[in-house]
């Protein structure tokens, strides 16, 4: 039998009306056997996600402040869903347990996970599917890393005997039973893990846009939908800010060769975006597949005459960052210059120490830290065989009157990264999009 794993995001399950739409999509095709659910998201632009309300409860409880009004808001969201779906689901017991946790323990991940836990239990009751708790099937190591193989075995053991199931997204547990969550948006990862474990033919990720768009729709008006994208291109774009799909979520599906289809719960007739290992040859060649940007980077630029002949210079420079637990994003270098680009937040509390150690150990001629940079990734397989793409990117940025602070081309030749000042990020994206990605 064909198996499709479906994951519905927060806006797709924000209230009873949205849950009914999701249920319609699930029932329409019996192959949609396993359903991964997020917590209720925003019902309108101004609304608050249940996950954010739960984090708020936890913060208030830890500060010894009154968390009851925030918890009442969470409860009201679920009461409304249960009532509108005409279910007889008992929320009293669940909220007594949550309240007790808030009063007696400080477990932030546990609290954040309750949105997915409750929503999935309610949706399981509505669909008449069994509920599978990832606390028993998605396994984390004590250091917070996912234990992928144990997770794969546990999910397989739990799901293989079931024709259908609803699995809560976003969390799992360590060996000692303590709940641990993925980073924000992590239900996408749960869906991919379930697809791999069940040997699914397809992983459908249902959200509030009709697929992956060639640029962030909050920056570019009406960007083109990407029909097909490779795992590798998707990784580059989602890492750099295309937030429609969690940056780590493709790995389990990629490993198992399972295609991923991003779909719109509000327009289920739209075909969405297919994420596949390699692009179909029949597609018209495009200069680029997409563009995405991310703010908050710092560049540490080191200059020293004859750096190129000083053996181990680069290794010693990077070791200083590693010793402070800071991982680097990019490291473009010239003959006598080298820049290390890191997330600004990773330098909090250790920037001065790192600068001092670079001065002492490497004796550079010049050392500059440039903050508030945005990185923009221009991605596409077409770049490796289309001449002049790099020139067109630089022309687009310069036509917008924006200064490029750094250029780096990944060794895979499917992306060019440029750094600009944060304030120029959106304009640079718009300009690159209109020159290279518009039809
Ligand atoms: P869900 O709650 O369904 O997981 P998300 O909010 O995580 O949904 O992701 C969907 C959102 O991602 C869209 O509403 C859109 O605003 C945003 N987004 C950012 N970049 C892109 C892009 N390149 N293509 C599509 N959506 C994008
Ligand atoms: N509910 C979580 C979040 O808001 C996880 C998810 O929706 O994927 O980040
Ligand atoms: Mg998401």
């Amino acid at each position: 039998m064909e198996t499709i794993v479906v994951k519905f995001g927060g806006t797709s399950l924000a209230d009873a009306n949205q849950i009914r739409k999701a249920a319609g999509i699930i029932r329409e095709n019996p192959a949609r056997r396993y359903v991964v659910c997020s917590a209720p998201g925003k019902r309108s632009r101004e609304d608050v996600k249940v996950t954010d309300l739960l984090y708020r409860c936890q913060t208030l409880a830890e500060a010894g402040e009154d968390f009851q009004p925030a918890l009442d808001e969470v409860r009201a969201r679920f009461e409304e869903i249960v009532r509108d779906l005409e279910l007889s689901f008992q929320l009293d017991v669940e909220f007594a347990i949550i309240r007790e946790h808030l009063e007696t323990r400080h477990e932030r991940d546990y609290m954040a996970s309750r949105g997915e836990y409750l929503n999935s239990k309610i949706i399981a009751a509505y669909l008449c599917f069994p509920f599978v708790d990832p606390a028993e099937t998605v396994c984390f190591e004590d250091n917070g890393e996912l234990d992928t193989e144990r997770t794969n075995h546990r999910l397989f053991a739990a799901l293989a005997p079931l024709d259908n199931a609803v699995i809560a997204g976003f969390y799992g547990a360590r060996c000692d039973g303590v709940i641990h969550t993925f980073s924000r948006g992590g239900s996408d990862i749960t869906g991919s893990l379930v697809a791999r474990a069940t040997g699914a033919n397809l992983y459908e990720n249902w959200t509030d846009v009709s697929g992956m768009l060639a640029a962030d729709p909050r920056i570019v008006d009406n960007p083109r939908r990407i029909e097909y994208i490779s795992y590798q291109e998707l990784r580059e774009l989602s890492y750099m800010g295309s937030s429609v799909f969690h940056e780590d979520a493709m790995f389990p599906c990629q490993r198992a060769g399972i295609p991923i289809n991003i779909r719109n719960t509000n327009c289920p007739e739209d075909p969405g975006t297919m994420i596949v290992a390699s692009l179909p040859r029949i597609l018209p060649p495009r200069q680029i597949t997409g563009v995405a940007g991310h703010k908050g980077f710092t560049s540490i630029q080191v200059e020293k005459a004859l750096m190129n002949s000083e053996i181990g210079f680069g290794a010693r420079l990077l070791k200083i960052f590693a010793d402070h637990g800071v991982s680097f994003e990019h490291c473009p270098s010239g003959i006598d210059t080298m820049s290390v680009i890191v997330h600004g937040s990773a330098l909090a509390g250790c920037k001065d120490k790192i600068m001092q150690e670079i001065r002492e150990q490497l004796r550079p001629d010049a050392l500059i830290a440039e903050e508030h940079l945005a990185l923009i990734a221009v991605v596409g397989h077409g770049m490796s065989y289309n001449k002049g793409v790099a020139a067109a990117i630089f022309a687009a940025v310069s036509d917008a009157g924006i200064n490029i602070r750094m250029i780096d081309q990944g060794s895979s030749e499917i992306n060019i990264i440029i750094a600009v000042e944060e304030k120029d990020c959106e304009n640079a994206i718009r300009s690159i999009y209109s020159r290279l990605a518009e039809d």
Side-chain angles (χ1 to χ4, degrees), residues 7 9-10 38 49 184-188 205 207 243-246:
K7 175 260 169 180
S38 285
K49 292 180 175 188
R184 296 300 302 264
S187 302
D188 292 337
N205 190 287
T207 181
S243 52
V244 66
F245 193 63
H246 191 287

Side-chain angles (χ1 to χ4, degrees), residues 129-150:
F129 285 2
F131 166 71
V132 170
D133 193 341
E136 278 129 43
T137 46
V138 174
C139 312
F140 286 93
E141 317 254 17
D142 287 345
N143 64 6
E145 269 177 36
L146 180 73
D147 184 336
T148 45
E149 291 321 297
R150 211 148 52 89

Side-chain angles (χ1 to χ4, degrees), residues 7-13 38-39 41-42 49 184-188 205-219 223-226 237 241-246 262-263 265 273 290-292:
K7 175 260 169 180
F8 289 89
T11 43
S12 301
L13 304 172
S38 285
K42 293 185 181 194
K49 292 180 175 188
R184 296 300 302 264
S187 302
D188 292 337
N205 190 287
W206 292 83
T207 181
D208 63 349
V209 275
S210 290
M212 180 103 185
L213 306 170
D216 188 332
R218 292 163 296 189
I219 298 176
R224 176 175 56 75
R225 174 177 63 88
I226 301 171
L237 284 174
S242 290
S243 52
V244 66
F245 193 63
H246 191 287
I262 313 266
R263 300 282 291 269
T265 306
T273 296
V291 51

